[in-house]
Amino acid sequence: MELPTAMIIGVDQVRRSFAECAPDAPAVRQVERPPRNRRARVTLARGLIRLARAIAPPEPVCR
């Protein structure tokens, strides 16, 4: 059931992709993104790791 739906969606996306590359297609400028704050990302990642360790189930005593 999913395969026909995926096939239809895939064909549609390929057609759109080739339509964007056509010689008469309108040009779309690339927008430059502002640089991301690395410190905030690192701090958030460390906080998530600490939270994951805090709520993780305890390891078994005997292995």
Side-chain angles (χ1 to χ4, degrees), residues 3 8 20 28-29 31-32 34 43 46 52-53 55 59 62:
L3 186 60
I8 292 169
E20 291 174 358
V28 178
R29 291 185 153 217
V31 179
E32 290 189 30
T43 304
R46 286 182 183 155
R53 288 181 183 156
I55 63 173
E59 292 196 26
C62 57

Side-chain angles (χ1 to χ4, degrees), residues 8-62:
I8 292 169
I9 292 171
V11 169
D12 183 49
Q13 289 177 352
V14 169
R15 283 185 184 158
R16 287 184 188 184
S17 172
F18 279 110
E20 291 174 358
C21 298
D24 58 343
V28 178
R29 291 185 153 217
Q30 295 288 334
V31 179
E32 290 189 30
R33 299 166 116 189
R36 296 192 178 210
N37 190 350
R38 181 167 169 78
R39 182 181 294 174
R41 288 174 47 192
V42 170
T43 304
L44 179 62
R46 286 182 183 155
L48 289 173
I49 290 170
R50 285 183 183 169
L51 178 65
R53 288 181 183 156
I55 63 173
E59 292 196 26
V61 177
C62 57

